[in-house]
Amino acid sequence: MTALADVPEILSNVPGTYPYGVWRRRHPRLLARIRDAHLYPPHLRDALDALCEETVQGVITALPRTAHDHGTWDAWCREHLGKPWPDAPFLWAEGYFYRRLLEAVDYFRPGPWFGHDPFGFLKTEDLQGYAPEPLDDDLPEPERAQQLLLGSLWGNLNDLGFKVGGEHAGADAVGLVADESAAVWGVLRRDAGLALVVVADNAGQEIIADLILIDFLLATGRAGTVALHVKPQPTFVSDATTSDVHTALRLLPAPVADRLRAAAGAGRLTLDTHAFYCAPYPYDRAPADLLATFAAADLTILKGDLNYRRLVGDRHWPATTPIVTAAGYFPGRFVTLRTLKSDALVGVAPDTLAALDATGEPWRTTATHALVQTNLTPG
Ligand SMILES: O=P(O)(O)OC[C@@]1(O)O[C@H](CO)[C@@H](O)[C@@H]1O
């Protein structure tokens, strides 16, 4: 079996590639928007500008000695300090970029900015005037199940990092490059009572769609329990935290929100997190306790592009590589629901790949395409 380490990692130092644009366009725009949206004092504005300069034309430097987690990051940074940022693996560099961004805005320092989400204004802006579409309760249950699964999948379009970068302009859902949802419903049967882990991705419209799906899975007994895993701190612009889940709860139709509160009260729905969700590595390097959590679940649902990159390693896999090869190390059953917003890709049938490539469009990174992939055997 191919080990992750045998496949070259995606870097961001190749002009014209998607990751190159993330450093050149998306991050500078993001840092400027954060600086301009807040009542930050001069030294925090300067810190944001310095981070921009360092990441665009400088070299990777360490976290300050005052940072509570500098020891952890010193170990993670050792092999990359002194390199230009785009020369480090894309996944690693982005993870460290978001940690440095929180440092620049005093997120962990006691004082007025302690715990203030620097992306909060973008999350609020995105939900202005938004209300979830009314639920179609008349649909037969299997159709409803699939509709909610696809709602959660395409909810992944609402990634504010993507929107800030301008890449989202007019992205329309075109189709799935792989759809293994039949295998998922083969396991997630009515009254199966499964123990699910849902590793969330974005706040806002995506987590709203996720919560609607979770409610359905609990209400139909497909799930006995759901552990919803969120990020321990703001990152990747719109990744959902506990606070974002509660914002979403207030926007849900009242009966859905009531059922979810009751499920939480009964211990059937739990919120969970792990420091590794903000580590800059794929899941093959996850610590034993997190891997044990995935192993113990009947099924782990991994949402979004970043979780996909972490599942298969952010590497130049041939796109026809089976997902069970790329994610062969994963200790339990999983399904990944992802819109395609970066280069890492596996599990695409050769004819599908040829047809998509023949379009000449940059279909791998525009969020116009999506996938449902699993290591469950087709049933
Ligand atoms: O995980 P998500 O929210 O679906 O996507 C995260 C993302 O915006 O960040 C990366 C580039 O910064 C890409 O993987 C992707 O476009």
Side-chain angles (χ1 to χ4, degrees):
M1 188 181 290
T2 319
L4 250 58
D6 296 339
V7 183
E9 287 177 295
I10 295 173
L11 309 181
S12 19
N13 55 7
V14 183
T17 60
Y18 174 76
Y20 189 82
V22 167
W23 294 99
R24 290 285 158 153
R25 288 186 298 278
R26 183 189 300 195
H27 290 171
R29 274 188 212 183
L30 173 66
L31 292 169
R33 286 210 61 190
I34 292 172
R35 182 197 60 210
D36 296 345
H38 288 92
L39 298 176
Y40 288 140
H43 72 281
L44 297 193
R45 290 164 191 268
D46 292 348
L48 286 167
D49 290 344
L51 178 60
C52 187
E53 199 177 309
E54 179 182 316
T55 53
V56 174
Q57 48 199 352
V59 295
I60 298 169
T61 61
L63 264 183
R65 304 300 82 191
T66 46
H68 68 283
D69 53 350
H70 75 83
T72 303
W73 279 99
D74 281 353
W76 290 343
C77 283
R78 199 162 294 134
E79 59 182 308
H80 301 303
L81 287 182
K83 283 184 195 167
W85 281 72
D87 288 358
F90 184 38
L91 180 68
W92 185 91
E94 282 188 296
Y96 187 44
F97 168 79
Y98 283 103
R99 174 61 191 85
R100 289 282 304 277
L101 199 163
L102 292 188
E103 198 61 26
V105 297
D106 277 357
Y107 182 84
F108 295 108
R109 183 190 293 270
W113 304 104
F114 180 79
H116 174 77
D117 182 349
F119 315 114
F121 73 104
L122 292 167
K123 294 173 178 172
T124 305
E125 198 176 282
D126 194 59
L127 282 175
Q128 244 145 37
Y130 173 78
E133 281 182 23
L135 301 177
D136 191 350
D137 293 330
D138 296 334
L139 271 185
E141 202 175 286
E143 278 92 326
R144 184 131 178 269
Q146 184 67 2
Q147 186 188 62
L148 297 180
L149 185 85
L150 293 179
S152 166
L153 166 60
W154 287 106
N156 184 238
L157 276 176
N158 294 290
D159 158 8
L160 302 184
F162 203 63
K163 287 186 181 175
V164 163
E167 295 106 320
H168 189 264
D172 275 328
V174 174
L176 303 186
V177 302
D179 180 8
E180 299 172 8
S181 51
V184 177
W185 294 121
V187 168
L188 265 178
R189 293 210 180 87
R190 190 172 238 285
D191 297 324
L194 301 186
L196 301 186
V197 167
V198 178
V199 184
D201 187 8
N202 294 292
Q205 298 180 39
E206 179 168 358
I207 197 79
I208 287 173
D210 296 339
L211 288 169
I212 291 172
L213 174 65
I214 288 169
D215 169 54
F216 171 80
L217 296 174
L218 286 167
T220 56
R222 286 174 167 78
T225 59
V226 175
L228 177 60
H229 288 211
V230 294
K231 296 292 191 302
Q233 63 209 34
T235 189
F236 275 81
V237 187
S238 47
D239 282 14
T241 60
T242 301
S243 157
D244 297 321
V245 172
H246 288 84
T247 300
L249 198 62
R250 291 192 288 277
L251 291 171
L252 286 172
V256 176
D258 288 346
R259 283 194 296 268
L260 290 172
R261 282 191 204 95
R268 294 185 68 206
L269 172 62
T270 49
L271 287 190
D272 204 346
T273 189
H274 196 289
F276 189 75
Y277 285 127
C278 286
Y281 294 117
Y283 287 124
D284 70 322
R285 290 184 60 166
D289 61 331
L290 183 58
L291 291 173
T293 302
F294 295 145
D298 291 315
L299 182 67
T300 297
I301 302 178
L302 292 154
K303 292 292 321 282
D305 196 80
L306 179 61
N307 276 319
Y308 188 85
R309 293 167 65 196
R310 300 186 79 187
L311 175 67
V312 303
D314 206 29
R315 292 173 183 269
H316 291 288
W317 293 101
T320 51
T321 310
I323 190 149
V324 289
T325 301
Y329 69 87
F330 198 85
R333 303 193 296 187
F334 67 79
V335 55
T336 166
L337 307 178
R338 173 233 188 175
T339 61
L340 277 55
K341 289 178 277 183
S342 65
D343 294 311
L345 182 62
V346 297
V348 182
D351 53 342
T352 307
L353 186 64
L356 286 163
D357 282 343
T359 64
E361 298 292 329
W363 57 273
R364 285 179 180 227
T365 55
T366 47
T368 47
H369 292 77
L371 56 79
V372 180
Q373 291 176 335
T374 177
N375 60 357
L376 293 166
T377 39

